[in-house]
Amino acid sequence: MTKDNFTTKKREYKHLSDVQRGKLEEMTRLGTYTQKEMGLRLGVNQSTISRELRRGRTRQMDYKHQYYDCYIGDSGARVYKENRLHSKAKGIEKYSARFFDELVAALKVKKIERIFSVDTFVHFYKKNHPAERVPCTRTVYKIIDSGDLPLRNIDLPMKTRMRPRKLTP
């Protein structure tokens, strides 16, 4: 009998909509809800509420020229959108495109004429182009395996000879 022993589950993150931000603004204005209760009513995690309240906190001045902090949904949405614009690209896009072009050109030559393996090419390129963002060798192999490059495992003679590691129970 096989049994899966997973202690983690796949996380499902949700972004707040403008309607939810408006409801959150109203709940904070009333001041009778805790963050956990706000999260339950909006259908999101309490940590999402905490981050949103921090994002949308704005300093206001009342008619007596006294300052106070309050949550405004529009400012939270603005900060959220700015943060999304500044977030970094994931995957192959965050690395130098020139690196991948030269890698494919160096590894697609005939077997007799080739002077680089993946590892030697990565180190050679990093040495000659220190300002560019270059992935490590393991990441390059993962990118090749995922099919994002026009290279295949058959184009890498060392990889076809390597045996896969056996997992010990």
Side-chain angles (χ1 to χ4, degrees):
M1 174 159 99
T2 61
K3 183 177 179 183
D4 292 331
N5 292 320
F6 294 112
T7 57
T8 59
K9 62 179 182 175
K10 186 177 179 193
R11 297 179 179 168
E12 297 176 9
Y13 297 110
K14 296 178 183 174
H15 302 278
L16 289 178
S17 66
D18 291 335
V19 173
Q20 288 175 318
R21 283 191 177 92
K23 289 179 183 177
L24 182 62
E25 186 174 346
E26 185 61 32
M27 284 188 249
T28 55
R29 190 171 295 138
L30 292 174
T32 58
Y33 296 97
T34 63
Q35 288 182 4
K36 186 175 182 177
E37 290 170 344
M38 291 178 198
L40 288 172
R41 288 195 181 255
L42 295 177
V44 295
N45 198 315
Q46 181 267 333
S47 59
T48 304
I49 299 297
S50 174
R51 283 190 292 271
E52 182 62 28
L53 291 175
R54 194 173 347 121
R55 245 186 244 124
R57 186 178 300 135
T58 307
R59 178 161 266 193
Q60 298 287 316
M61 186 187 319
D62 63 4
Y63 66 95
K64 294 181 182 178
H65 299 287
Q66 304 267 330
Y67 289 102
Y68 65 97
D69 289 334
C70 67
Y71 171 77
I72 298 177
D74 292 336
S75 65
R78 180 187 50 79
V79 172
Y80 169 76
K81 287 176 184 170
E82 285 175 4
N83 291 344
R84 294 290 292 174
L85 288 175
H86 297 303
S87 65
K88 297 197 179 358
K90 306 285 190 262
I92 194 171
E93 294 85 21
K94 69 180 177 181
Y95 299 112
S96 170
R98 190 170 122 198
F99 166 78
F100 289 114
D101 293 339
E102 291 186 23
L103 174 73
V104 170
L107 297 181
K108 279 285 193 177
V109 296
K110 291 181 182 176
K111 200 176 199 181
I112 299 168
E113 300 168 0
R114 185 189 336 209
I115 58 172
F116 289 115
S117 68
V118 173
D119 190 38
T120 55
F121 183 80
V122 168
H123 291 291
F124 175 78
Y125 195 86
K126 280 184 180 179
K127 183 179 177 186
N128 293 333
H129 302 79
E132 289 187 35
R133 186 171 175 132
V134 178
C136 67
T137 305
R138 184 175 179 180
T139 305
V140 173
Y141 277 117
K142 285 183 180 181
I143 291 170
I144 291 170
D145 286 341
S146 69
D148 291 339
L149 289 178
L151 292 172
R152 298 178 314 173
N153 286 333
I154 198 72
D155 298 327
L156 310 172
M158 270 311 285
K159 188 157 185 196
T160 56
R161 285 188 277 165
M162 291 183 347
R163 288 182 152 179
R165 292 184 182 169
K166 293 182 180 177
L167 299 174
T168 57

